[in-house]
Amino acid sequence: YYDYMFGNCFTFNHMFDKITTRNSKYNGLQLQLYLGESEFDGNFMNKGAYLVVHDPKLNPKMLNGVSLIASLESNVLIEKVQTIQQPMPYSKCKLEADIKNSDSIKERKYYNIIVKYGMNYTLSECIFLCYNFHLIEKCKCFDTLQTFLINTSQPCLSIEDIYCASEQYATFFGSELQKLKCEQACPIPCEQLN
């Protein structure tokens, strides 16, 4: 798929569970990427790749990844951590059942959209969905990773859409007020994978 911030994006093994129990350079995923000049367009300042290893039911855009430089070999070690917290009053998190049955219409709205389309509810996924509703309001388009919003608007694909979306991304995630609005509608789940 094409992403207006990262360019051409590729997903590997999204339909299969590939598990390795041993860690070493030769026991995990090995990729050799050709990052020829033709793969880069004028939108990118850095030439290379951005690697995100994630659960297939999570949106890769909202996850931290690793920048890989072209023409160099890179070894990346990734660890999966599951965090389980006790719900209120012991922490600020909510159980998934409490989010699903919340009195807050916005909390239920975002949760229901995420789950309806087979995604796992996470705080970052919820904030990204909130951002996309902001994007639809400001640019009349949505991020290409949120394909389930297709009935609401169109994806950001034209030059004008991409410019508007890039500006909105910077202002939205740079604004504490905007993030706060989304965080109020996006409760922290008690169980998270990092």
Side-chain angles (χ1 to χ4, degrees):
Y1 62 92
Y2 183 81
D3 179 85
Y4 64 87
M5 288 180 65
F6 295 108
N8 291 326
C9 298
F10 303 93
T11 300
F12 300 94
N13 296 334
H14 75 283
M15 302 286 283
F16 309 102
D17 286 334
K18 300 284 185 185
I19 298 172
T20 182
T21 55
R22 297 186 307 185
N23 60 352
S24 80
K25 180 177 179 176
Y26 304 104
N27 288 316
L29 173 66
Q30 294 181 15
L31 295 175
Q32 185 172 11
L33 304 173
Y34 173 71
L35 302 173
E37 290 297 316
S38 63
E39 296 294 315
F40 301 103
D41 61 28
N43 295 332
F44 300 100
M45 293 177 63
N46 300 318
K47 295 187 179 187
Y50 191 69
L51 173 69
V52 179
V53 177
H54 63 94
D55 182 313
K57 291 186 175 184
L58 293 179
N59 186 333
K61 188 151 198 173
M62 293 307 296
L63 302 172
N64 291 326
V66 178
S67 294
L68 304 174
I69 300 170
S71 302
L72 293 177
E73 180 178 320
S74 300
N75 293 309
V76 179
L77 176 67
I78 301 202
E79 183 177 54
K80 180 167 90 172
V81 177
Q82 182 176 17
T83 306
I84 301 174
Q85 296 178 312
Q86 291 296 316
M88 293 179 191
Y90 305 104
S91 71
K92 292 182 178 182
C93 74
K94 282 190 171 184
L95 295 170
E96 193 164 333
D98 294 338
I99 299 170
K100 189 187 325 186
N101 301 316
S102 173
D103 291 335
S104 166
I105 293 170
K106 250 191 184 169
E107 276 185 19
R108 283 195 322 266
K109 174 185 173 184
Y110 292 159
Y111 174 85
N112 288 336
I113 290 171
I114 290 166
V115 173
K116 177 182 177 184
Y117 290 96
M119 303 293 283
N120 288 341
Y121 178 85
T122 63
L123 179 61
S124 61
E125 190 68 43
C126 187
I127 290 173
F128 192 58
L129 181 60
C130 180
Y131 159 71
N132 268 281
F133 278 106
H134 170 82
L135 198 57
I136 290 169
E137 181 185 319
K138 299 291 184 185
C139 301
K140 309 295 184 248
C141 64
F142 59 85
D143 189 283
T144 53
L145 283 178
Q146 296 281 353
T147 54
F148 50 82
L149 293 173
I150 202 99
N151 295 330
T152 320
S153 185
Q154 63 185 21
C156 299
L157 295 175
S158 73
I159 301 284
E160 294 81 19
D161 290 348
I162 292 169
Y163 180 76
C164 182
S166 296
E167 269 191 345
Q168 290 305 315
Y169 188 89
T171 56
F172 182 89
F173 288 104
S175 163
E176 290 303 314
L177 181 62
Q178 285 295 344
K179 282 194 290 190
L180 183 62
K181 274 195 238 177
C182 286
E183 286 170 3
Q184 290 170 346
C186 295
I188 301 167
C190 290
E191 196 170 321
Q192 299 183 75
L193 280 177
N194 298 320

